[in-house]
Amino acid sequence: MDVRPNQTIYINNLNEKIKKEELKKSLYAIFSQFGQILDIVALKTLKMRGQAFVIFKEIGSASNALRTMQGFPFYDKPMRIAYSKSDSDIVAKLKGTFKERPKKVKVTKVVPGTDDKKDKRKKPASTENAAPSTQTEQPPNQILFLTNLPEETNEMMLSMLFNQFPGFKEVRLVPNRHDIAFVEFTTELQSNAAKEALQGFKITPTHAMKITFAKK
């Protein structure tokens, strides 16, 4: 009776109190590590609350995501993940509608100075005064310093990204600065493993995260 693997995964048992846009951003943050995501569909109708669909470009990405994230605690509730039923009317409808949606999302997400690669290179210069140490690589230690984070970054998103690595302790956001954060691990070996794995990870399509060791 198992549904055949396909590129759309169906997730339920999601926390119904989370706002739709925040839910979609958080799902994107944790699932984009498995491959290119074409769309995430989360509806807040009574029938569809606590559920979402993540549509990957490749079936392999969906399979890997399903195996790795099954039961993952997401907003304090373990996710239940299955392949979407390919003959399901609702998925057919959703797949038909997603083509128009990315255009709207991209328009709302464009932040001046982030849509051009040249601008991206210039951006760290603006943080030079605040944290000049980030320009030169610090010796390895258990605390990572993250820069170039998008405006919608929150502690939950970063925790879900980093707590898949052994030794994760906590995320510390900087008040009034959405673009930087600190992540602490138990040892420098563990922090280095996370740094190597997530260096350049795109939390959103326009923001590649930069990771260095924090200044001691």
Side-chain angles (χ1 to χ4, degrees):
M1 292 297 292
D2 279 352
V3 179
R4 272 189 321 165
N6 62 83
Q7 68 260 50
T8 304
I9 57 172
Y10 165 69
I11 307 162
N12 68 358
N13 199 40
L14 296 171
N15 193 322
E16 294 177 16
K17 293 177 185 157
I18 309 306
K19 288 190 178 130
K20 183 174 127 180
E21 284 312 306
E22 187 182 342
L23 180 71
K24 287 173 76 169
K25 282 171 189 165
S26 298
L27 286 170
Y28 184 92
I30 59 166
F31 280 104
S32 57
Q33 61 185 299
F34 299 104
Q36 188 181 341
I37 292 173
L38 296 179
D39 195 30
I40 290 175
V41 179
L43 302 175
K44 292 302 263 185
T45 58
L46 197 60
K47 193 177 168 191
M48 289 297 294
R49 270 195 313 207
Q51 302 162 69
F53 293 91
V54 179
I55 304 165
F56 287 96
K57 190 176 181 188
E58 308 288 342
I59 292 177
S61 303
S63 301
N64 198 5
L66 185 147
R67 280 197 308 271
T68 307
M69 303 303 284
Q70 189 69 266
F72 183 85
F74 185 71
Y75 290 105
D76 302 320
K77 291 183 78 174
M79 287 195 279
R80 287 205 291 269
I81 310 175
Y83 292 110
S84 165
K85 294 176 186 163
S86 51
D87 58 349
S88 160
D89 290 344
I90 189 152
V91 176
K93 281 181 202 156
L94 298 173
K95 279 186 174 176
T97 58
F98 96 61
K99 293 242 171 17
E100 309 103 50
R101 206 175 300 125
K103 290 176 195 157
K104 292 180 197 164
V105 173
K106 279 177 190 163
V107 171
T108 56
K109 276 190 183 173
V110 167
V111 179
T114 58
D115 54 341
D116 190 302
K117 282 184 182 168
K118 287 179 191 160
D119 287 343
K120 271 190 188 174
R121 284 193 210 107
K122 287 180 200 160
K123 203 173 178 206
S126 66
T127 63
E128 253 176 66
N129 296 336
S133 61
T134 61
Q135 305 310 312
T136 55
E137 185 72 26
Q138 296 297 317
N141 63 78
Q142 69 269 37
I143 300 173
L144 300 176
F145 179 55
L146 317 182
T147 56
N148 200 38
L149 300 173
E151 199 170 339
E152 56 267 39
T153 303
N154 59 41
E155 194 175 330
M156 184 73 181
M157 254 186 216
L158 292 175
S159 294
M160 283 189 286
L161 269 182
F162 283 92
N163 76 3
Q164 61 188 303
F165 297 96
F168 169 78
K169 283 176 82 174
E170 65 171 345
V171 168
R172 291 199 293 276
L173 299 180
V174 179
N176 304 318
R177 289 291 300 273
H178 70 262
D179 57 328
I180 60 177
F182 294 92
V183 181
E184 186 174 352
F185 283 84
T186 307
T187 69
E188 63 187 52
L189 280 173
Q190 291 165 332
S191 65
N192 190 52
K195 176 178 177 282
E196 296 295 317
L198 290 173
Q199 186 70 268
F201 179 85
K202 288 190 173 181
I203 292 182
T204 68
T206 53
H207 286 76
M209 182 164 60
K210 293 184 178 69
I211 308 176
T212 57
F213 291 109
K215 189 178 180 185
K216 288 293 258 184

